Amino acid sequence: MTITLSTLNARYTHASLGLRYLLANMAELTGQTQIQEFVIGAKTTEIVERLLAKQPRIIGFGVYIWNVEETTRVVAMLKRVAPQVTVVLGGPEVSHETALQEIVRLADYVVTGWGEVTFTALCRQILDGPQPLMKVHAGVQPPLAELQLPYALYSDHDIAHRTLYVEASRGCPFKCEFCLSALDKTAWPFALDTFLAEMEALHARGARLFKFVDRTFNLNIKTSLKIMQFFLDKLAANPDDPVYAHFELVPDHLPDALKEGIAKFPPGALQFEIGIQSFNPTVQALVSRRQDNAKAAENIRWLCEHSHAHLHVDLIAGLPGEDVASFARGFNQLVALQPHEIQFGILKRLRGTPIIRHTETFGMVFDPYPPYTILATDKIDFGTMLRLVRFARYWDLVANSGRFGHTIGTMLGDAPFENFMAFSDWMYGQTDATHRIALDRLAALVTRWLQVQGMAPAAAVALVARDYAGKLDGAAKAAAPQRQARHLAA
Protein backbone atom coordinates (compact mmCIF):
# COMPACT_ATOMS: atom_id res chain seq x y z
CA MET A 1 0.00 0.00 0.00
CA THR A 2 1.24 3.48 -0.89
CA ILE A 3 -0.61 5.33 1.87
CA THR A 4 -1.39 4.16 5.41
CA LEU A 5 -3.87 5.95 7.67
CA SER A 6 -3.25 5.24 11.33
CA THR A 7 -4.09 6.24 14.87
CA LEU A 8 -3.84 4.92 18.41
CA ASN A 9 -7.35 4.51 19.78
CA ALA A 10 -8.07 4.78 23.49
CA ARG A 11 -9.63 1.28 23.45
CA TYR A 12 -9.88 -1.52 20.96
CA THR A 13 -13.67 -1.17 20.92
CA HIS A 14 -13.32 2.36 19.53
CA ALA A 15 -13.28 2.46 15.72
CA SER A 16 -11.82 5.67 14.30
CA LEU A 17 -14.44 7.67 12.43
CA GLY A 18 -11.82 10.21 11.33
CA LEU A 19 -9.64 7.67 9.52
CA ARG A 20 -12.65 6.27 7.71
CA TYR A 21 -13.66 9.76 6.58
CA LEU A 22 -10.17 10.27 5.15
CA LEU A 23 -10.23 6.95 3.31
CA ALA A 24 -13.72 7.59 1.94
CA ASN A 25 -12.46 10.85 0.40
CA MET A 26 -9.16 9.66 -1.10
CA ALA A 27 -10.71 9.67 -4.61
CA GLU A 28 -8.35 8.03 -7.12
CA LEU A 29 -5.91 7.19 -4.31
CA THR A 30 -8.46 4.99 -2.48
CA GLY A 31 -7.10 1.76 -3.94
CA GLN A 32 -3.60 2.64 -2.72
CA THR A 33 -4.71 3.50 0.82
CA GLN A 34 -5.27 1.32 3.89
CA ILE A 35 -6.23 1.85 7.54
CA GLN A 36 -4.17 0.43 10.40
CA GLU A 37 -5.51 1.10 13.89
CA PHE A 38 -3.71 0.47 17.16
CA VAL A 39 -4.52 0.88 20.85
CA ILE A 40 -2.62 3.04 23.32
CA GLY A 41 -0.31 0.93 25.44
CA ALA A 42 0.94 -1.16 22.51
CA LYS A 43 4.73 -1.47 22.11
CA THR A 44 6.20 1.21 19.90
CA THR A 45 8.45 -1.25 18.11
CA GLU A 46 5.53 -3.51 17.24
CA ILE A 47 3.47 -0.58 15.92
CA VAL A 48 6.34 0.58 13.72
CA GLU A 49 6.99 -2.95 12.47
CA ARG A 50 3.37 -3.39 11.43
CA LEU A 51 3.20 0.06 9.84
CA LEU A 52 6.23 -0.70 7.66
CA ALA A 53 5.17 -4.23 6.70
CA LYS A 54 3.53 -3.07 3.44
CA GLN A 55 6.23 -0.50 2.69
CA PRO A 56 4.05 2.63 2.55
CA ARG A 57 5.40 5.85 1.09
CA ILE A 58 3.10 8.02 3.25
CA ILE A 59 1.77 7.42 6.76
CA GLY A 60 -0.90 9.76 8.10
CA PHE A 61 -1.54 9.83 11.84
CA GLY A 62 -4.66 11.03 13.66
CA VAL A 63 -3.34 12.80 16.76
CA TYR A 64 -5.51 13.37 19.83
CA ILE A 65 -5.00 14.41 23.43
CA TRP A 66 -5.07 10.77 24.59
CA ASN A 67 -2.50 9.46 22.10
CA VAL A 68 -0.10 12.31 21.35
CA GLU A 69 2.67 11.14 23.68
CA GLU A 70 2.70 7.59 22.34
CA THR A 71 2.27 8.75 18.74
CA THR A 72 5.27 11.04 19.20
CA ARG A 73 7.38 8.00 20.09
CA VAL A 74 6.06 6.12 17.06
CA VAL A 75 6.88 9.00 14.72
CA ALA A 76 10.35 9.41 16.26
CA MET A 77 11.12 5.73 15.70
CA LEU A 78 9.71 5.78 12.18
CA LYS A 79 11.93 8.68 11.19
CA ARG A 80 14.96 6.79 12.48
CA VAL A 81 14.37 3.40 10.91
CA ALA A 82 12.50 4.51 7.77
CA PRO A 83 13.39 8.14 7.03
CA GLN A 84 12.18 7.69 3.44
CA VAL A 85 8.59 7.41 4.64
CA THR A 86 6.69 10.71 4.62
CA VAL A 87 4.80 11.33 7.87
CA VAL A 88 1.70 13.54 7.81
CA LEU A 89 -0.12 14.55 11.00
CA GLY A 90 -3.70 15.63 11.50
CA GLY A 91 -6.31 15.80 14.23
CA PRO A 92 -7.31 18.23 16.98
CA GLU A 93 -4.12 17.94 19.04
CA VAL A 94 -1.88 19.23 16.22
CA SER A 95 -4.38 21.69 14.76
CA HIS A 96 -3.59 24.41 17.33
CA GLU A 97 -0.35 25.72 18.83
CA THR A 98 1.16 23.59 16.11
CA ALA A 99 4.67 24.99 15.98
CA LEU A 100 5.29 24.34 19.68
CA GLN A 101 5.00 20.55 19.51
CA GLU A 102 7.76 17.95 19.35
CA ILE A 103 5.67 15.61 17.20
CA VAL A 104 5.28 18.38 14.62
CA ARG A 105 9.06 18.93 14.56
CA LEU A 106 9.56 15.22 13.84
CA ALA A 107 6.93 14.94 11.10
CA ASP A 108 7.12 16.08 7.50
CA TYR A 109 3.72 17.74 7.15
CA VAL A 110 0.69 18.73 9.22
CA VAL A 111 -2.92 19.24 8.17
CA THR A 112 -4.83 21.42 10.63
CA GLY A 113 -8.60 21.35 11.03
CA TRP A 114 -10.75 19.55 8.45
CA GLY A 115 -8.65 16.95 6.65
CA GLU A 116 -10.77 15.15 4.07
CA VAL A 117 -10.00 17.43 1.12
CA THR A 118 -6.58 18.76 2.10
CA PHE A 119 -4.97 15.43 3.04
CA THR A 120 -5.87 13.93 -0.34
CA ALA A 121 -4.49 16.96 -2.18
CA LEU A 122 -1.31 16.83 -0.10
CA CYS A 123 -0.79 13.15 -0.89
CA ARG A 124 -1.12 13.88 -4.60
CA GLN A 125 1.64 16.49 -4.32
CA ILE A 126 3.91 14.20 -2.31
CA LEU A 127 3.48 11.34 -4.78
CA ASP A 128 3.37 13.20 -8.10
CA GLY A 129 4.93 16.59 -7.39
CA PRO A 130 5.61 19.37 -7.22
CA GLN A 131 6.67 18.73 -3.61
CA PRO A 132 4.84 20.89 -1.04
CA LEU A 133 6.83 23.89 0.11
CA MET A 134 4.97 24.50 3.38
CA LYS A 135 5.00 22.12 6.33
CA VAL A 136 1.65 23.19 7.77
CA HIS A 137 -1.47 23.05 5.60
CA ALA A 138 -4.73 24.57 6.81
CA GLY A 139 -7.56 22.14 6.15
CA VAL A 140 -10.18 23.22 3.61
CA GLN A 141 -13.75 22.97 4.91
CA PRO A 142 -15.96 21.81 2.04
CA PRO A 143 -19.76 21.82 2.02
CA LEU A 144 -20.85 18.62 3.76
CA ALA A 145 -22.71 17.52 0.63
CA GLU A 146 -19.36 17.22 -1.13
CA LEU A 147 -17.95 14.75 1.40
CA GLN A 148 -18.17 11.03 0.80
CA LEU A 149 -19.65 9.39 3.90
CA PRO A 150 -17.49 6.72 5.56
CA TYR A 151 -19.97 4.24 7.00
CA ALA A 152 -19.51 1.51 4.39
CA LEU A 153 -15.88 1.35 5.56
CA TYR A 154 -16.90 -0.11 8.91
CA SER A 155 -16.01 -3.77 8.45
CA ASP A 156 -18.19 -6.70 9.47
CA HIS A 157 -15.76 -7.20 12.35
CA ASP A 158 -16.22 -3.56 13.41
CA ILE A 159 -19.98 -3.98 13.35
CA ALA A 160 -19.83 -7.15 15.42
CA HIS A 161 -17.30 -6.06 18.02
CA ARG A 162 -16.81 -2.28 18.13
CA THR A 163 -18.66 0.95 18.82
CA LEU A 164 -19.80 2.59 15.60
CA TYR A 165 -19.43 6.36 15.67
CA VAL A 166 -21.77 8.34 13.44
CA GLU A 167 -22.60 12.02 12.96
CA ALA A 168 -25.70 13.71 11.61
CA SER A 169 -24.05 17.12 11.98
CA ARG A 170 -20.69 18.75 12.63
CA GLY A 171 -19.80 21.77 14.68
CA CYS A 172 -21.55 23.58 17.50
CA PRO A 173 -23.18 27.01 17.77
CA PHE A 174 -22.23 27.42 21.44
CA LYS A 175 -18.99 28.98 22.66
CA CYS A 176 -18.08 27.17 25.90
CA GLU A 177 -14.46 28.15 26.35
CA PHE A 178 -13.19 24.79 27.64
CA CYS A 179 -14.33 23.02 24.44
CA LEU A 180 -12.72 22.98 20.99
CA SER A 181 -16.18 23.42 19.51
CA ALA A 182 -16.02 27.00 20.81
CA LEU A 183 -13.99 27.69 17.66
CA ASP A 184 -16.82 26.58 15.36
CA LYS A 185 -18.99 29.21 13.75
CA THR A 186 -22.13 27.09 13.84
CA ALA A 187 -23.38 23.52 13.44
CA TRP A 188 -23.62 22.08 9.92
CA PRO A 189 -26.13 19.27 9.22
CA PHE A 190 -25.57 16.44 6.77
CA ALA A 191 -28.37 15.77 4.30
CA LEU A 192 -30.77 13.82 6.50
CA ASP A 193 -32.14 11.39 3.92
CA THR A 194 -28.63 10.49 2.79
CA PHE A 195 -27.49 10.03 6.37
CA LEU A 196 -30.45 7.83 7.31
CA ALA A 197 -29.87 5.70 4.21
CA GLU A 198 -26.35 5.05 5.51
CA MET A 199 -27.75 4.12 8.93
CA GLU A 200 -30.20 1.77 7.20
CA ALA A 201 -27.31 0.07 5.41
CA LEU A 202 -25.39 -0.32 8.67
CA HIS A 203 -28.42 -1.78 10.41
CA ALA A 204 -28.99 -4.21 7.53
CA ARG A 205 -25.40 -5.41 8.00
CA GLY A 206 -26.03 -6.11 11.68
CA ALA A 207 -25.11 -2.85 13.42
CA ARG A 208 -27.03 -2.39 16.65
CA LEU A 209 -24.96 0.10 18.68
CA PHE A 210 -24.80 3.64 17.27
CA LYS A 211 -22.93 6.41 19.07
CA PHE A 212 -23.65 9.88 17.72
CA VAL A 213 -20.77 12.33 18.08
CA ASP A 214 -22.92 15.38 17.28
CA ARG A 215 -22.35 18.09 19.87
CA THR A 216 -25.95 19.27 19.75
CA PHE A 217 -28.24 16.41 18.74
CA ASN A 218 -31.40 18.23 19.87
CA LEU A 219 -30.58 21.58 18.27
CA ASN A 220 -32.99 21.00 15.37
CA ILE A 221 -36.01 19.21 16.81
CA LYS A 222 -37.45 18.13 13.43
CA THR A 223 -34.16 16.41 12.59
CA SER A 224 -33.93 14.87 16.06
CA LEU A 225 -37.43 13.43 15.76
CA LYS A 226 -36.73 11.88 12.36
CA ILE A 227 -33.55 10.24 13.61
CA MET A 228 -35.28 8.93 16.72
CA GLN A 229 -38.14 7.64 14.59
CA PHE A 230 -35.63 5.66 12.56
CA PHE A 231 -34.57 3.82 15.70
CA LEU A 232 -38.14 3.47 16.98
CA ASP A 233 -39.10 1.82 13.70
CA LYS A 234 -36.24 -0.65 14.09
CA LEU A 235 -37.29 -1.42 17.64
CA ALA A 236 -40.89 -1.97 16.61
CA ALA A 237 -39.93 -4.24 13.72
CA ASN A 238 -37.42 -6.28 15.70
CA PRO A 239 -38.23 -6.14 19.43
CA ASP A 240 -36.08 -9.22 20.08
CA ASP A 241 -33.09 -7.70 18.27
CA PRO A 242 -33.00 -4.16 19.69
CA VAL A 243 -30.85 -1.23 18.68
CA TYR A 244 -29.05 1.10 21.10
CA ALA A 245 -28.39 4.78 20.38
CA HIS A 246 -26.28 7.35 22.25
CA PHE A 247 -26.88 11.09 21.80
CA GLU A 248 -25.45 14.26 23.35
CA LEU A 249 -28.22 16.63 24.43
CA VAL A 250 -28.34 20.36 25.06
CA PRO A 251 -29.70 20.25 28.63
CA ASP A 252 -32.13 23.16 28.56
CA HIS A 253 -33.78 22.41 25.20
CA LEU A 254 -36.33 19.63 25.50
CA PRO A 255 -39.66 20.66 23.95
CA ASP A 256 -42.78 18.52 24.30
CA ALA A 257 -42.49 16.98 20.83
CA LEU A 258 -39.05 15.61 21.72
CA LYS A 259 -40.28 14.36 25.08
CA GLU A 260 -43.04 12.43 23.33
CA GLY A 261 -40.51 10.71 21.10
CA ILE A 262 -38.12 9.92 23.95
CA ALA A 263 -40.91 8.43 26.04
CA LYS A 264 -41.55 5.79 23.37
CA PHE A 265 -38.14 4.14 23.76
CA PRO A 266 -38.05 0.95 25.84
CA PRO A 267 -35.44 0.27 28.53
CA GLY A 268 -31.93 -0.38 27.27
CA ALA A 269 -32.31 1.38 23.92
CA LEU A 270 -31.38 5.01 24.52
CA GLN A 271 -28.58 6.90 26.28
CA PHE A 272 -28.16 10.65 26.65
CA GLU A 273 -24.96 12.45 27.53
CA ILE A 274 -25.89 15.80 29.06
CA GLY A 275 -23.28 18.44 29.79
CA ILE A 276 -24.16 20.57 32.81
CA GLN A 277 -20.50 21.35 33.68
CA SER A 278 -21.47 23.88 36.39
CA PHE A 279 -24.64 25.15 38.02
CA ASN A 280 -22.92 28.41 39.04
CA PRO A 281 -24.21 31.28 36.84
CA THR A 282 -21.10 33.40 37.47
CA VAL A 283 -18.82 30.58 36.37
CA GLN A 284 -21.01 29.88 33.36
CA ALA A 285 -20.74 33.50 32.29
CA LEU A 286 -16.95 33.46 32.68
CA VAL A 287 -16.62 30.53 30.27
CA SER A 288 -19.29 31.85 27.85
CA ARG A 289 -21.70 29.01 28.59
CA ARG A 290 -25.34 29.89 28.02
CA GLN A 291 -27.58 27.63 30.06
CA ASP A 292 -30.95 27.98 31.76
CA ASN A 293 -30.15 26.06 34.95
CA ALA A 294 -33.74 25.76 36.11
CA LYS A 295 -34.86 24.43 32.74
CA ALA A 296 -31.88 22.06 32.56
CA ALA A 297 -32.69 20.63 36.01
CA GLU A 298 -36.37 20.33 35.09
CA ASN A 299 -35.47 18.42 31.91
CA ILE A 300 -33.15 16.01 33.70
CA ARG A 301 -35.84 15.37 36.29
CA TRP A 302 -38.38 14.71 33.54
CA LEU A 303 -36.05 12.29 31.77
CA CYS A 304 -35.45 10.41 35.02
CA GLU A 305 -39.13 10.17 35.88
CA HIS A 306 -40.82 9.78 32.50
CA SER A 307 -38.36 8.02 30.19
CA HIS A 308 -36.28 4.85 30.12
CA ALA A 309 -33.24 6.70 28.78
CA HIS A 310 -29.95 6.11 30.55
CA LEU A 311 -28.58 9.51 31.63
CA HIS A 312 -24.90 10.34 31.77
CA VAL A 313 -24.54 13.92 33.10
CA ASP A 314 -21.24 15.83 33.14
CA LEU A 315 -19.77 18.22 35.71
CA ILE A 316 -16.32 19.82 35.48
CA ALA A 317 -14.19 20.73 38.51
CA GLY A 318 -11.55 23.45 38.24
CA LEU A 319 -13.40 26.00 36.10
CA PRO A 320 -12.32 29.62 36.64
CA GLY A 321 -14.14 31.31 39.51
CA GLU A 322 -15.48 28.09 41.06
CA ASP A 323 -14.37 26.98 44.51
CA VAL A 324 -15.00 23.62 46.16
CA ALA A 325 -18.11 24.85 47.98
CA SER A 326 -19.69 26.00 44.71
CA PHE A 327 -18.83 22.74 42.97
CA ALA A 328 -20.21 20.78 45.92
CA ARG A 329 -23.53 22.63 45.68
CA GLY A 330 -23.79 21.80 42.00
CA PHE A 331 -22.84 18.18 42.62
CA ASN A 332 -25.43 17.82 45.38
CA GLN A 333 -28.07 19.43 43.18
CA LEU A 334 -27.29 16.96 40.42
CA VAL A 335 -27.33 13.96 42.77
CA ALA A 336 -30.80 15.02 43.91
CA LEU A 337 -31.98 14.79 40.30
CA GLN A 338 -30.87 11.13 40.28
CA PRO A 339 -29.30 10.61 36.84
CA HIS A 340 -27.81 7.16 36.33
CA GLU A 341 -24.26 8.49 36.07
CA ILE A 342 -22.55 11.72 37.04
CA GLN A 343 -19.31 12.04 35.13
CA PHE A 344 -17.08 14.05 37.44
CA GLY A 345 -14.47 15.52 35.11
CA ILE A 346 -11.41 17.64 35.87
CA LEU A 347 -10.84 20.64 33.60
CA LYS A 348 -8.30 20.16 30.80
CA ARG A 349 -6.70 22.87 28.70
CA LEU A 350 -7.29 21.58 25.19
CA ARG A 351 -4.97 23.25 22.70
CA GLY A 352 -6.65 26.18 21.00
CA THR A 353 -9.51 26.62 23.46
CA PRO A 354 -10.24 30.13 24.76
CA ILE A 355 -10.11 28.98 28.40
CA ILE A 356 -6.46 30.05 28.45
CA ARG A 357 -7.52 33.70 28.61
CA HIS A 358 -8.40 33.21 32.29
CA THR A 359 -5.01 31.76 33.27
CA GLU A 360 -3.50 34.79 34.93
CA THR A 361 -6.66 36.31 36.41
CA PHE A 362 -7.72 33.08 38.14
CA GLY A 363 -4.30 31.61 38.88
CA MET A 364 -4.93 28.60 36.67
CA VAL A 365 -2.05 26.13 36.62
CA PHE A 366 -2.21 23.29 34.08
CA ASP A 367 -0.11 20.19 33.73
CA PRO A 368 2.25 20.87 30.77
CA TYR A 369 1.86 17.27 29.60
CA PRO A 370 -1.23 15.59 28.10
CA PRO A 371 -4.04 15.59 28.99
CA TYR A 372 -3.15 19.09 30.35
CA THR A 373 -5.26 18.70 33.49
CA ILE A 374 -5.81 21.66 35.81
CA LEU A 375 -3.50 21.40 38.85
CA ALA A 376 -4.60 24.45 40.82
CA THR A 377 -6.55 27.69 40.65
CA ASP A 378 -6.75 30.74 42.88
CA LYS A 379 -9.68 29.04 44.64
CA ILE A 380 -8.53 25.39 44.70
CA ASP A 381 -4.96 24.62 45.73
CA PHE A 382 -2.92 21.71 44.38
CA GLY A 383 -3.57 19.40 47.31
CA THR A 384 -7.32 19.97 47.17
CA MET A 385 -7.35 19.45 43.41
CA LEU A 386 -5.71 16.06 43.89
CA ARG A 387 -8.41 15.17 46.40
CA LEU A 388 -11.00 16.03 43.74
CA VAL A 389 -9.17 13.85 41.21
CA ARG A 390 -9.31 10.93 43.63
CA PHE A 391 -12.97 11.65 44.37
CA ALA A 392 -13.69 11.42 40.63
CA ARG A 393 -11.94 8.07 40.34
CA TYR A 394 -13.64 6.50 43.36
CA TRP A 395 -16.98 7.91 42.24
CA ASP A 396 -16.56 6.10 38.97
CA LEU A 397 -15.69 2.84 40.74
CA VAL A 398 -18.47 2.94 43.31
CA ALA A 399 -21.33 5.06 41.96
CA ASN A 400 -21.09 5.14 38.17
CA SER A 401 -20.19 1.48 37.86
CA GLY A 402 -23.66 0.50 39.06
CA ARG A 403 -22.11 -2.16 41.29
CA PHE A 404 -23.29 -0.53 44.50
CA GLY A 405 -26.76 0.55 43.49
CA HIS A 406 -28.35 -0.13 46.88
CA THR A 407 -25.36 0.94 48.95
CA ILE A 408 -24.54 4.29 47.36
CA GLY A 409 -27.64 6.06 48.69
CA THR A 410 -26.70 5.18 52.26
CA MET A 411 -23.12 6.34 51.65
CA LEU A 412 -24.26 9.70 50.31
CA GLY A 413 -26.95 10.47 52.87
CA ASP A 414 -28.20 14.05 52.92
CA ALA A 415 -24.81 15.59 52.04
CA PRO A 416 -23.59 13.62 48.98
CA PHE A 417 -20.46 15.57 48.10
CA GLU A 418 -19.26 15.97 51.66
CA ASN A 419 -19.93 12.35 52.58
CA PHE A 420 -18.34 10.91 49.48
CA MET A 421 -15.32 13.18 49.87
CA ALA A 422 -14.88 11.78 53.38
CA PHE A 423 -15.07 8.25 51.94
CA SER A 424 -12.60 9.19 49.19
CA ASP A 425 -10.06 10.56 51.68
CA TRP A 426 -10.48 7.43 53.83
CA MET A 427 -10.15 5.12 50.82
CA TYR A 428 -6.92 6.73 49.73
CA GLY A 429 -5.58 6.48 53.25
CA GLN A 430 -6.40 2.77 53.30
CA THR A 431 -5.14 1.86 49.83
CA ASP A 432 -2.71 4.55 48.63
CA ALA A 433 -4.19 3.75 45.22
CA THR A 434 -6.96 4.78 42.87
CA HIS A 435 -6.50 2.10 40.21
CA ARG A 436 -6.21 -1.67 40.10
CA ILE A 437 -8.48 -2.17 43.07
CA ALA A 438 -10.11 -5.58 42.68
CA LEU A 439 -13.88 -5.69 43.03
CA ASP A 440 -13.79 -8.00 46.04
CA ARG A 441 -11.39 -5.66 47.80
CA LEU A 442 -13.48 -2.64 46.87
CA ALA A 443 -16.61 -4.28 48.28
CA ALA A 444 -14.76 -5.11 51.50
CA LEU A 445 -13.56 -1.51 51.81
CA VAL A 446 -17.05 -0.11 51.24
CA THR A 447 -18.35 -2.50 53.91
CA ARG A 448 -15.68 -1.31 56.36
CA TRP A 449 -16.48 2.33 55.60
CA LEU A 450 -20.13 1.79 56.44
CA GLN A 451 -19.04 0.40 59.79
CA VAL A 452 -16.67 3.32 60.36
CA GLN A 453 -19.70 5.54 59.85
CA GLY A 454 -21.58 3.68 62.56
CA MET A 455 -23.49 0.94 60.77
CA ALA A 456 -23.66 -2.42 62.53
CA PRO A 457 -21.31 -5.00 60.94
CA ALA A 458 -24.08 -7.42 60.01
CA ALA A 459 -26.16 -4.64 58.45
CA ALA A 460 -23.18 -3.34 56.45
CA VAL A 461 -22.38 -6.82 55.13
CA ALA A 462 -26.01 -7.41 54.20
CA LEU A 463 -26.36 -4.07 52.42
CA VAL A 464 -23.26 -4.55 50.25
CA ALA A 465 -24.12 -8.21 49.60
CA ARG A 466 -27.51 -7.12 48.26
CA ASP A 467 -25.76 -5.40 45.38
CA TYR A 468 -24.45 -8.76 44.15
CA ALA A 469 -27.81 -10.53 44.23
CA GLY A 470 -29.47 -8.88 41.22
CA LYS A 471 -29.51 -10.78 37.95
CA LEU A 472 -30.10 -9.36 34.48
CA ASP A 473 -32.96 -10.69 32.45
CA GLY A 474 -34.89 -9.77 29.35
CA ALA A 475 -33.73 -8.93 25.85
CA ALA A 476 -33.24 -5.22 26.52
CA LYS A 477 -30.96 -5.91 29.47
CA ALA A 478 -29.01 -8.48 27.52
CA ALA A 479 -28.53 -6.07 24.63
CA ALA A 480 -27.55 -3.04 26.71
CA PRO A 481 -23.90 -2.04 27.02
CA GLN A 482 -22.35 -3.50 30.14
CA ARG A 483 -22.37 -0.40 32.32
CA GLN A 484 -25.98 0.43 31.53
CA ALA A 485 -26.99 -3.20 32.01
CA ARG A 486 -25.83 -3.01 35.61
CA HIS A 487 -28.20 -0.09 36.17
CA LEU A 488 -31.06 -2.00 34.61
CA ALA A 489 -30.39 -4.77 37.12
CA ALA A 490 -30.98 -2.45 40.07
Side-chain angles (χ1 to χ4, degrees), residues 365-380:
V365 179
F366 293 93
D367 190 333
Y369 299 102
Y372 316 115
T373 306
I374 189 78
L375 300 176
T377 70
D378 63 337
K379 296 185 180 297
I380 304 176

Side-chain angles (χ1 to χ4, degrees), residues 40 85 93 98 110 151 182 189 206-207 258 268 298 355 362 377 415 425 431 479 488:
I40 56 174
V85 175
E93 181 64 12
T98 307
V110 180
Y151 304 112
L258 196 56
E298 177 187 327
I355 195 76
F362 292 94
T377 70
D425 291 339
T431 64
L488 291 170

Side-chain angles (χ1 to χ4, degrees), residues 7-16 20 36-42 50 66 154-165:
T7 195
L8 279 69
N9 295 317
R11 294 184 178 89
Y12 171 75
T13 53
H14 297 180
S16 173
R20 287 162 178 79
Q36 278 189 285
E37 293 177 275
F38 302 93
V39 180
I40 56 174
R50 287 178 58 191
W66 64 80
Y154 282 124
S155 69
D156 291 343
H157 182 84
D158 293 333
I159 289 171
H161 301 287
R162 307 176 81 183
T163 299
L164 302 188
Y165 293 94

Side-chain angles (χ1 to χ4, degrees), residues 401-424:
S401 69
R403 293 171 178 143
F404 298 89
H406 298 98
T407 307
I408 188 65
T410 298
M411 294 177 69
L412 298 181
D414 57 3
F417 180 88
E418 294 77 6
N419 288 336
F420 200 86
M421 179 61 87
F423 167 73
S424 175

